[in-house]
Amino acid sequence: MKQCVICKATIEKGTLCEAHAIAKTHLEEKYQEWKRAFGKLTKKEYYQKLVDDSNIPIGDWAREVAEYFLKEENKKR
Amino acid sequence: MVRYLCISEKPTAAKRIAAALDETGKARKIPTPRTFASVPVYECKNNGDIIYVIPALGHLYSTVEDSIKGWHYPTFNYKWVPTYLAQQKNNTRPFILAFKNFSEKVDEIIIATDYDLEGEVIGASIAKFACKKELNSVRRMKFSTLTKKEILESYKNMHPSIDLNLAQAGFTRHEIDWLYGINLTRALTLAIKHATGRYKLISTGRVQGPTLKFVADREREIQTFVPIPRWAIEATIILDGEEIALEYQEKFIPTLAEAEQIVRETTDTEGIVSKITERQFSQKPPLPFNLGTLQSEAYRYFGYSPSRTLKIAERLYLNALISYPRTGSQQFSETINHKQILKELTKSELYRDRAEKLLQKTTLKPTKGKKKDPAHPPIHPTGKKAPAALRTEDKNIYRLITCRYLALFGEPAVKKSLRLDINFNGYIFFLRGMKVLKKGWLELYAPFGKVEEIELPELKKGDTVKMLKVRKKQSYTQPPARYNPNSLLKKMEEEELGTKATRANIIDILYSRGYIEDESIYATDLGFAVIDTLEKNSPEIIETELTRHLERNMEKIRSGEKTRVEVLMEAIRELKNILENFHKKEEIIGVTLQEQVQNLKQRQRILGPCPICKQGELIITRSRTTQKRFVGCTGYYKKLCDWSAPIPQQGYATPAKKNCPHCGFPMLTIRKRGKRPYTICPNWLKCPGTPQEVLDNYQNQKAEALEAIGEDEEDEL
């Protein structure tokens, strides 16, 4: 049985449960707007901001995905 | 001489009706046999006739399953029985005995319950089952206030029979609600039982399911929300030694570079007043209160939940202070004597001036909205002077209703808005002012509907001002707001879910089932589990269309377009289809639901990464030997970390989703029934944030000591 890499919920396919998959889509969609707002912003910086700044009104599920992606980005280096 | 039995809905109403009907104004409470000695029975004499007024205690009859097959579904066999048998509550038995006993002594039965769907069912079921009368031979008193005048009028003009269509619609609603509730709840519960062998009661209903879906959908939006950054420009000027804040023409700037440019190019510049715009507009008086708008304003001014407001309004109605509150109407009928009500209000010091002023008008025409309710007028005061000993919450609602009523007759308010544009180096900033020129209805509605006036400095076109400070302030787009009991009630109203009488109760049921929590409502994990599973496997159960269609059918019974049997059979057919489809997927639904519950239980245990070993996660767990609850690191299983700490044994512990500001440990929230939730650090024994006296006072270092120092959750919100 597969599990969501973030919340360990049982899933049929992919790596994320439905809730975290929706959050992932939102994160990816909004990245372009963040890049435009700041002029220049890498994905890692984007995730870092979302994870570190508690004043950002990001949803819990979206923040969990950002945390996961940030870990993945850090592993790459 | 005719002997009547008058069925009232509640003891308070019975007392008031009896006092109004009795010629002396003092109805006699007569002694009754021991079997129903607790039931007040009033004897009234009126024009040579005798009327026995006996109260019910809400519904005395209810539906139960008429089958010996046990816990199964589908089940479509039911029967009406006394509620003391259906719900094992014995306090209604004496009331039924009283009605049975007196129905044999009288010539006629009168129903004097509230004139609405529920009232009709309460009265009709007593007349039919306890008094054994044909419904078309039962008389009906219809009134909207419990004032003596209106009760006497409704007695004199009583209808020869009850509103049979209304009663049929009421019976049908009860039966359909029962059929949907029992079948869907059993289907969900048995799905888990059959698939996993475990028993977990999962309930849903015709209105409950779609309402819970609103909350769950909103929560999903919030939890997956990713904001977009934006910048506001904040500026101040100084005029006559006073600092005045300016607004920039665009509320938000979408890019950092643009915001920086505006700040750079306007810092230390001089601005010229380039334009002054003045606009005068009138604001019409508000519409009369129906239950929805009363609940909304009560929430706005006093923070009362819709169900609390309804309870208060019902108390005021039973005290004859206001008209019947369960109304959707926004239109007064011509028969209501506003002049009389206003005259009565002049007796109260608080409303005297306003009422007297209105009485000087040649015509008294209240505002009217679109919504009609043929049974009852909008909520209004009866004019009866409120006793000084009213509870504060009753006083508040009474005052709100009375002030609103007075405001309906007022003139429009006239306001003037001013905008003063100042050009700083090509960038337009502005000041906004507001002045009430004519108070009109605002004066009548006071202290409610208060408008804040904003004075503008005296500047004219061409004047120059110096920019004192200008800066950019970063903010973010915001997620949608969570529902509160009031906005959820409004959403139900918009979507035509439930009725004005049942909506607030449905919200309370969702709370009591543990599907939703808090004033700022969020779906609990259990609530999510139910909605997720049903969405995937049986979406029609939680769709609004199904229940809306049923509501329309009930309206059709009321208007005589459809018969009770037609609607009932249609509902059963639809339910049968839903249950057949459900049954085909029962195993998968059961397994998924159980998995969801398990997954969510698992998620509720994880506090966050362990700050000690940085590899495991801190979880709420129990000792296998002592069964005591504590927080430990998952690294323990891999022999990486043995950190653990005791936590309070009482209450419901969940991750607080934030870290301790003193030691960085992920915190947890403890919720106890009837107490405010509090947040604690699991590292409390070593956390620098734990006051020394707590550790000293509680030498045994019991984790319960933390309750005293736990951060109050609501204070943080």
Side-chain angles (χ1 to χ4, degrees):
Chain A
M1 207 55 113
K2 289 178 90 175
Q3 284 188 325
C4 169
V5 290
I6 294 170
C7 65
K8 315 283 183 268
T10 315
I11 47 171
E12 282 170 27
K13 55 182 182 182
T15 52
L16 296 173
C17 65
E18 207 176 319
H20 284 118
I22 296 169
K24 179 186 171 229
T25 313
H26 288 180
L27 271 174
E28 285 167 350
E29 281 168 4
K30 297 287 160 61
Y31 173 58
Q32 291 309 321
E33 304 205 40
W34 275 71
K35 223 161 86 171
R36 193 170 74 87
F38 286 102
K40 197 179 155 198
L41 189 76
T42 64
K43 270 208 167 165
K44 192 187 167 193
E45 286 167 336
Y46 170 57
Y47 296 137
Q48 194 78 54
K49 271 181 192 282
L50 292 175
V51 169
D52 290 348
D53 189 347
S54 59
N55 292 322
I56 297 177
I58 184 174
D60 286 342
W61 300 346
R63 198 189 292 270
E64 284 163 6
V65 178
E67 265 168 9
Y68 173 75
F69 282 153
L70 187 62
K71 269 188 204 163
E72 293 296 300
E73 287 280 332
N74 286 336
K75 273 185 205 165
K76 281 183 202 166
R77 280 144 214 269
Chain B
M1 183 187 76
V2 186
R3 285 170 190 270
Y4 292 106
L5 165 59
C6 178
I7 303 169
S8 157
E9 193 160 325
K10 297 178 189 88
T12 335
K15 194 175 173 186
R16 206 160 274 285
I17 292 169
L21 292 181
D22 191 75
E23 282 161 349
T24 62
K26 287 176 186 167
R28 195 167 68 96
K29 198 169 164 187
I30 57 172
T32 48
R34 195 193 283 180
T35 46
F36 55 90
S38 57
V39 181
V41 176
Y42 300 95
E43 188 187 73
C44 320
K45 290 192 176 124
N46 190 306
N47 213 14
D49 297 333
I50 293 184
I51 310 151
Y52 296 106
V53 184
I54 304 179
L57 214 54
H59 286 279
L60 296 189
Y61 288 87
S62 172
T63 37
V64 290
E65 190 177 13
D66 189 13
S67 161
I68 47 161
K69 272 171 82 181
W71 234 72
H72 69 286
Y73 78 92
T75 177
F76 302 116
N77 299 328
Y78 58 85
K79 59 183 175 189
W80 284 82
V81 294
T83 42
Y84 67 83
L85 291 178
Q87 296 162 8
Q88 274 96 46
K89 278 184 194 165
N90 215 19
N91 64 341
T92 56
R93 190 164 181 264
F95 289 82
I96 292 178
L97 291 176
F99 284 118
K100 274 187 181 165
N101 186 296
F102 275 85
S103 66
E104 288 162 10
K105 297 178 185 169
V106 299
D107 310 302
E108 302 259 8
I109 307 275
I110 309 168
I111 293 180
T113 51
D114 296 342
Y115 183 48
D116 62 9
L117 212 66
E118 294 299 306
E120 214 66 0
V121 174
I122 291 169
S125 59
I126 293 169
K128 191 175 169 182
F129 303 122
C131 308
K132 310 279 182 214
K133 297 282 175 195
E134 286 297 320
L135 292 183
N136 52 12
S137 69
V138 174
R139 290 168 173 258
R140 183 65 159 115
M141 275 169 64
K142 294 178 185 174
F143 44 82
S144 290
T145 67
L146 284 172
T147 54
K148 184 169 181 162
K149 189 170 165 261
E150 199 168 335
I151 291 168
L152 276 175
E153 266 168 28
S154 73
Y155 175 72
K156 276 180 204 155
N157 306 313
M158 82 178 120
H159 293 246
S161 87
I162 62 163
D163 185 338
L164 284 171
N165 286 345
L166 185 64
Q168 300 292 22
F171 280 120
T172 315
R173 167 189 284 283
H174 265 258
E175 288 157 359
I176 291 178
D177 280 351
W178 182 85
L179 286 167
Y180 270 77
I182 198 160
N183 279 295
L184 296 178
T185 300
R186 284 184 180 183
L188 284 171
T189 307
L190 288 173
I192 294 191
K193 178 93 192 322
H194 293 160
T196 66
R198 291 180 186 177
Y199 177 79
K200 165 92 185 144
L201 182 71
I202 307 281
S203 81
T204 187
R206 200 169 59 80
V207 183
Q208 244 188 74
T211 308
L212 177 58
K213 188 173 184 295
F214 295 147
V215 179
D217 284 349
R218 178 61 57 90
E219 194 60 27
R220 271 192 211 118
E221 266 182 80
I222 294 169
Q223 297 298 352
T224 59
F225 180 79
V226 179
I228 302 167
R230 58 192 184 179
W231 288 265
I233 304 294
E234 292 184 338
T236 46
I237 52 171
I238 193 151
L239 267 177
D240 299 330
E242 196 190 343
E243 274 190 36
I244 300 168
L246 297 178
E247 288 177 65
Y248 183 59
Q249 61 178 0
E250 283 170 53
K251 204 169 176 191
F252 296 109
I253 310 296
T255 67
L256 176 61
E258 205 183 324
E260 281 174 342
Q261 185 184 347
I262 296 166
V263 172
R264 203 170 43 244
E265 294 184 8
T266 54
T267 302
D268 295 330
T269 55
E270 204 162 68
I272 300 166
V273 178
S274 56
K275 196 173 160 192
I276 298 175
T277 323
E278 204 179 290
R279 196 169 72 89
Q280 198 167 303
F281 61 98
S282 72
Q283 199 180 355
K284 285 182 190 162
L287 298 178
F289 269 148
N290 59 18
L291 182 60
T293 47
L294 169 66
Q295 284 170 320
S296 180
E297 288 282 273
Y299 186 80
R300 183 174 160 205
Y301 290 111
F302 308 114
Y304 296 166
S305 71
S307 55
R308 186 176 174 188
T309 301
L310 178 58
K311 273 185 199 148
I312 299 168
E314 275 177 344
R315 262 200 311 271
L316 294 171
Y317 164 71
L318 289 171
N319 281 318
L321 292 170
I322 62 162
S323 61
Y324 186 63
R326 292 184 190 222
T327 174
S329 177
Q330 291 179 315
Q331 294 185 9
F332 284 100
S333 68
E334 296 295 320
T335 55
I336 291 183
N337 190 343
H338 296 298
K339 203 168 179 181
Q340 186 58 36
I341 297 172
L342 290 172
K343 264 187 192 166
E344 294 292 330
L345 286 175
T346 58
K347 291 176 188 164
S348 165
E349 206 181 314
L350 200 59
Y351 310 112
R352 184 178 303 138
D353 293 350
R354 291 181 251 188
E356 275 173 356
K357 208 170 164 184
L358 287 174
L359 281 167
Q360 285 166 12
K361 288 180 112 176
T362 45
T363 51
L364 283 169
K365 208 175 163 197
T367 53
K368 65 174 186 180
K370 284 180 187 159
K371 291 181 185 166
K372 286 183 191 168
D373 185 338
H376 297 284
I379 304 169
H380 64 277
T382 58
K384 188 186 163 216
K385 199 176 173 191
L390 272 187
R391 296 182 198 184
T392 309
E393 56 179 16
D394 291 17
K395 259 186 208 164
N396 286 340
I397 296 296
Y398 177 73
R399 196 164 51 139
L400 179 62
I401 291 169
T402 309
C403 292
R404 176 72 157 224
Y405 176 70
L406 292 167
L408 306 180
F409 302 95
E411 300 294 323
V414 182
K415 294 176 182 174
K416 187 170 88 171
S417 77
L418 265 173
R419 185 180 145 139
L420 214 141
D421 286 1
I422 308 170
N423 185 335
F424 288 90
N425 203 11
Y427 297 96
I428 306 294
F429 290 77
F430 66 90
L431 283 165
R432 214 196 294 263
M434 159 72 107
K435 203 171 179 187
V436 177
L437 299 177
K438 189 181 150 198
K439 284 187 177 169
W441 64 270
L442 287 170
E443 214 165 23
L444 299 162
Y445 199 29
F448 309 103
K450 215 173 174 183
V451 183
E452 208 184 322
E453 291 189 274
I454 307 163
E455 290 259 347
L456 279 188
E458 287 198 8
L459 283 170
K460 55 183 189 302
K461 203 173 167 187
D463 282 354
T464 56
V465 286
K466 181 110 177 80
M467 181 71 87
L468 180 70
K469 275 181 261 175
V470 60
R471 65 180 193 115
K472 62 180 192 315
K473 190 182 174 195
Q474 189 177 344
S475 66
Y476 298 91
T477 51
Q478 295 294 311
R482 286 197 168 90
Y483 288 109
N484 56 41
N486 182 47
S487 57
L488 185 57
L489 190 114
K490 272 192 181 165
K491 174 78 179 165
M492 292 169 80
E493 209 175 324
E494 272 166 34
E495 299 287 340
E496 296 175 50
L497 278 182
T499 68
K500 55 187 180 288
T502 59
R503 286 178 192 123
N505 190 36
I506 293 288
I507 298 174
D508 285 350
I509 291 175
L510 292 177
Y511 275 111
S512 68
R513 293 272 186 270
Y515 292 158
I516 60 173
E517 271 184 14
D518 274 3
E519 185 71 8
S520 174
I521 302 172
Y522 67 89
T524 62
D525 293 338
L526 181 61
F528 263 124
V530 173
I531 290 297
D532 280 350
T533 312
L534 291 179
E535 256 177 0
K536 276 181 203 140
N537 300 293
S538 199
E540 59 273 51
I541 300 176
I542 45 171
E543 288 305 327
T544 48
E545 191 39 49
L546 173 83
T547 197
R548 224 183 290 170
H549 177 65
L550 281 168
E551 295 287 353
R552 279 188 211 127
N553 268 346
M554 271 176 254
E555 275 302 314
K556 283 181 182 166
I557 300 179
R558 220 175 147 166
S559 61
E561 279 175 72
K562 278 191 175 178
T563 67
R564 180 181 168 205
V565 175
E566 279 172 347
V567 171
L568 207 51
M569 291 316 290
E570 192 187 320
I572 288 176
R573 265 197 308 277
E574 279 172 24
L575 181 59
K576 224 171 169 179
N577 279 340
I578 291 171
L579 293 171
E580 270 167 15
N581 288 335
F582 190 96
H583 194 72
K584 282 179 204 159
K585 296 180 191 167
E586 191 186 75
E587 194 179 343
I588 188 162
I589 291 174
V591 172
T592 323
L593 203 48
Q594 178 63 19
E595 264 174 22
Q596 291 269 16
V597 173
Q598 282 304 112
N599 283 340
L600 296 164
K601 269 189 187 164
Q602 178 67 17
R603 208 187 297 171
Q604 278 173 345
R605 294 173 61 204
I606 303 170
L607 295 187
C610 172
I612 305 293
C613 68
K614 297 190 169 48
Q615 291 184 51
E617 278 175 322
L618 295 187
I619 56 164
I620 303 163
T621 187
R622 279 188 188 276
S623 155
R624 280 186 194 167
T625 48
T626 64
Q627 282 302 307
K628 287 211 165 182
R629 188 165 65 176
F630 67 98
V631 171
C633 176
T634 52
Y636 177 80
Y637 303 114
K638 295 174 192 164
K639 297 189 175 156
L640 290 170
C641 179
D642 62 357
W643 187 91
S644 71
I647 56 167
Q649 298 301 304
Q650 308 289 318
Y652 181 55
T654 51
K657 291 174 181 168
K658 64 177 180 182
N659 292 343
C660 173
H662 305 286
C663 66
F665 268 64
M667 299 173 85
L668 69 153
T669 299
I670 310 281
R671 288 184 170 84
K672 265 190 189 177
R673 189 178 279 264
K675 289 196 171 181
R676 297 178 108 188
Y678 60 96
T679 304
I680 56 168
C681 171
N683 186 34
W684 66 287
L685 285 168
K686 289 180 185 156
C687 176
T690 310
Q692 188 54 44
E693 71 263 26
V694 171
L695 296 174
D696 294 344
N697 288 344
Y698 294 87
Q699 287 169 2
N700 295 332
Q701 296 186 340
K702 278 185 185 169
E704 305 299 332
L706 285 171
E707 194 171 333
I709 54 146
E711 280 180 47
D712 205 323
E713 272 287 286
E714 274 158 287
D715 286 347
E716 292 182 342
L717 295 173

